[in-house]
Amino acid sequence: MALGPRCGAIRACRRVLERAFSLRKAHSIKDMENTLQLVRNIIPPLSSTKHKGQDGRIGVVGGCQEYTGAPYFAAISALKVGADLSHVFCASAAAPVIKAYSPELIVHPVLDSPNAVHEVEKWLPRLHALVVGPGLGRDDALLRNVQGILEVSKARDIPVVIDADGLWLVAQQPALIHGYRKAVLTPNHVEFSRLYDAVVSQWTPWRVDASPVRPEEGEGRAPCFCPACPCGHTCKGPMDSDDSHGSVLRLSQALGNVTVVQKGERDILSNGQQVLVCSQEGSSRRCGGQGDLLSGSLGVLVHWALLAGPQKTNGSSPLLVAAFGACSLTRQCNHQAFQKHGRSTTTSDMIAEVGAAFSKLFET
Ligand SMILES: NC(=O)C1=CN([C@@H]2O[C@H](COP(=O)(O)OP(=O)(O)OC[C@H]3O[C@@H](n4cnc5c(N)ncnc54)[C@H](OP(=O)(O)O)[C@@H]3O)[C@@H](O)[C@H]2O)[C@@H](O)CC1
Ligand SMILES: Nc1ncnc2c1ncn2[C@@H]1O[C@H](COP(=O)(O)OP(=O)(O)OP(=O)(O)O)[C@@H](O)[C@H]1O
Ligand SMILES: [Mg+2]
C-alpha cells in the first residue's frame, strides 16, 4: 500500500525529467541547425568568373621523420573541402613521403633548414590561412622555427589553426598566441588538459582556504570564476571535469579570447564569450588522423568565414562558426565512413566522404 503513492511520485518525477531532457535535446538540435545555417552562409559560391586560388590557398606547417600522415590528412582535407591550393611546409625527411602520397599537394622541405622562417615567410603573402602542428613532432629546433613562423604570421595577420604539437608549443609559450584573434586552437582531451594546466591552473595564488595573496593583474590572467572567492580578480584552480563548458570558456579567456575547440564525445567551442556545442552524429570508431581532417578543413573554413564577415554570421564570431562547420563535417565524415566500413574505418575512408558529407550538411 505504502509503495503505491511513492511509485506514482517516482513515475511523475521520471516524466518531468524525461520531458526536460527531450526539451533540452530538441533545443540543442535547433541550436545546431541554426549554427549550421550560419556555416552555409559563409561558403563562397562556385563561379566560372573566379580564378585558381580565390577559394583558398592553405599552408600546413608540420610533418617530420616520424609523422607524415598527419600533415597529409590536414592538407588533402583542405583541398577536398574546397581550397584551390594546399601547401605543406615540413622537415626534409618527410617531404618525399608526403609528395608520394599525393600529386595534389605542394610540398616544401624547409622546416629543419636554418632559414626555415624566411622560407615560409616568403609564401605568406600568397596564403590565406596556416594550420600549424599536425605531425610536427617535438624536436626543439623545429619548434623554434615554428615559433618564428607563428610570429611572422601574426605580424601579417594570417589566420592560424593550431593543433597537435603546435599546441605543445603554445603550452610552453602561451604568450605566442595570447590575444591573437585570428587563432583557433583545436585540442583533443590530453592537449586540452595540458593547455589548461599551463595557462589557467598555474595561477592559484588567491584562495579563501589559504593565506590570500592578491596577484598582480596583467596580460594573460583570466578573470576569477571561483564561486567561493570574493576577490573578483585572478583565481585559478584545477580543471573541473564536470564543467567542460566553463573550462573551455576559461581557457579561451585566459588566452585573451582566442577561439578554442575542445574535441571529444561532444565538441565544445568557445571564444571566451559564447560557448557552442557540436554533437553531430559520428561513430564509435576512433582511428588516428580524424583531428588532422578537422584542422585542415578548419583552415579553409576560417578563411571563408573571415572573408564573409560578421554580417553573414548574423553577428556570431566568424571563427566560431567556421569551427562549428569543421567539427560537424568531421563527425559527419566519420558517420558516413563507419556506415560503409564499420570497424575497419580509417581516416582515408573519412576523407573519401568529405564531398558527400559537405553536400549533406551545407548544400541542402
Ligand atoms: N598518421 C599520422 O601520421 C598521425 C600522426 N599524428 C601525430 O602524432 C603526434 C602526436 O599526437 P597525439 O595526438 O598522438 O598526441 P600525444 O600527446 O602523443 O598523445 C597520445 C596519447 O594521449 C592519450 N590520449 C589521446 N586521446 C585521448 C583521449 N581522448 N582521452 C584520453 N587519453 C587520450 C593516449 O594515451 P594512452 O591511451 O596511451 O594513455 C595517446 O596514446 C602529432 O604530431 C600528431 O599530429 C596524429 O595526428 C595521428 C595520425
Ligand atoms: N568520443 C567521441 N565520440 C564521437 N566523436 C568523437 C569522440 N572523440 C573525438 N571525436 C571526434 O573525432 C574528431 C577528432 O577528435 P580526436 O579527439 O580524435 O582528435 P585527435 O586526438 O587530435 O586526432 P588525431 O588522431 O588526428 O590526432 C573530432 O571531430 C571529434 O569530434
Ligand atoms: Mg591530433
Side-chain angles (χ1 to χ4, degrees):
M1 286 289 282
L3 276 181
R6 251 175 89 189
C7 283
I10 289 169
R11 270 198 297 274
C13 239
R14 185 182 291 162
R15 273 199 300 276
V16 169
L17 283 174
E18 279 171 0
R19 189 168 142 69
F21 183 73
S22 71
L23 280 179
R24 212 179 131 184
K25 203 169 162 193
H27 182 238
S28 72
I29 289 170
K30 193 161 152 259
D31 285 349
M32 291 253 305
E33 183 45 44
N34 289 342
T35 316
L36 279 176
Q37 187 50 50
L38 300 181
V39 181
R40 291 176 196 126
N41 292 350
I42 63 161
I43 295 168
L46 289 167
S47 154
S48 57
T49 60
K50 284 189 191 163
H51 61 76
K52 179 181 62 183
Q54 277 186 284
D55 275 345
R57 294 183 293 264
I58 309 300
V60 174
V61 178
C64 61
Q65 187 157 20
E66 293 85 357
Y67 305 125
T68 54
Y72 163 77
F73 290 143
I76 201 76
S77 299
L79 277 181
K80 292 282 183 190
V81 165
D84 290 334
L85 293 164
S86 195
H87 295 250
V88 178
F89 300 93
C90 59
S92 47
V97 184
I98 300 171
K99 282 177 205 269
Y101 293 152
S102 169
E104 286 150 335
L105 304 179
I106 303 161
V107 184
H108 309 264
V110 296
L111 267 195
D112 50 350
S113 96
N115 302 330
V117 179
H118 174 70
E119 290 296 327
V120 178
E121 188 179 18
K122 70 187 187 195
W123 282 93
L124 291 183
R126 279 175 273 176
L127 296 179
H128 294 119
L130 281 186
V131 180
V132 178
L136 180 60
R138 294 183 190 163
D139 176 78
D140 282 342
L142 282 193
L143 291 177
R144 264 196 304 279
N145 288 339
V146 172
Q147 175 185 339
I149 292 165
L150 277 173
E151 278 160 359
V152 294
S153 303
K154 274 196 314 184
R156 289 175 180 269
D157 217 25
I158 306 272
V160 289
V161 175
I162 306 191
D163 188 30
D165 303 311
L167 296 170
W168 169 267
L169 178 62
V170 170
Q172 315 301 309
Q173 299 179 52
L176 248 186
I177 212 67
H178 185 272
Y180 187 49
R181 295 296 179 98
K182 289 194 177 174
V184 186
L185 272 46
T186 56
N188 64 18
H189 180 83
V190 176
E191 291 154 350
F192 185 88
S193 304
R194 192 183 293 128
L195 278 170
Y196 196 95
D197 284 350
V199 178
V200 185
S201 303
Q202 74 171 3
W203 294 297
T204 50
W206 177 261
R207 294 172 52 137
V208 284
D209 58 344
S211 58
V213 180
R214 189 173 291 240
E216 293 302 313
E217 286 194 80
E219 206 185 33
R221 299 197 186 279
C224 173
F225 287 88
C226 170
C229 177
C231 71
H233 290 80
T234 43
C235 177
K236 311 291 173 335
M239 194 165 79
D240 176 358
S241 53
D242 292 332
D243 178 21
S244 43
H245 287 218
S247 299
V248 179
L249 187 78
R250 278 190 282 283
L251 177 61
S252 171
Q253 289 174 341
L255 285 166
N257 290 81
V258 159
T259 301
V260 175
V261 177
Q262 185 195 48
K263 298 174 291 190
E265 190 173 351
R266 299 181 314 148
D267 298 328
I268 301 174
L269 297 65
S270 181
N271 63 348
Q273 292 172 322
Q274 210 183 340
V275 178
L276 299 181
V277 177
C278 178
S279 49
Q280 184 72 36
E281 187 179 4
S283 83
S284 315
R285 178 71 174 120
R286 302 266 65 80
C287 52
Q290 301 183 34
D292 308 316
L293 194 167
L294 193 155
S295 60
S297 316
L298 183 51
V300 190
L301 286 162
V302 159
H303 164 55
W304 289 350
L306 290 170
L307 205 61
Q311 61 285 6
K312 288 280 176 100
T313 55
N314 219 2
S316 286
S317 145
L319 294 196
L320 266 188
V321 170
F324 189 88
C327 292
S328 310
L329 181 70
T330 307
R331 297 169 74 102
Q332 178 66 23
C333 288
N334 180 258
H335 180 70
Q336 291 180 196
F338 189 76
Q339 300 290 305
K340 294 183 185 168
H341 306 282
R343 194 181 282 272
S344 83
T345 300
T346 62
T347 297
S348 298
D349 300 321
M350 288 172 57
I351 288 167
E353 296 296 329
V354 168
F358 190 98
S359 296
K360 182 162 172 51
L361 291 174
F362 307 134
E363 295 174 329
T364 50

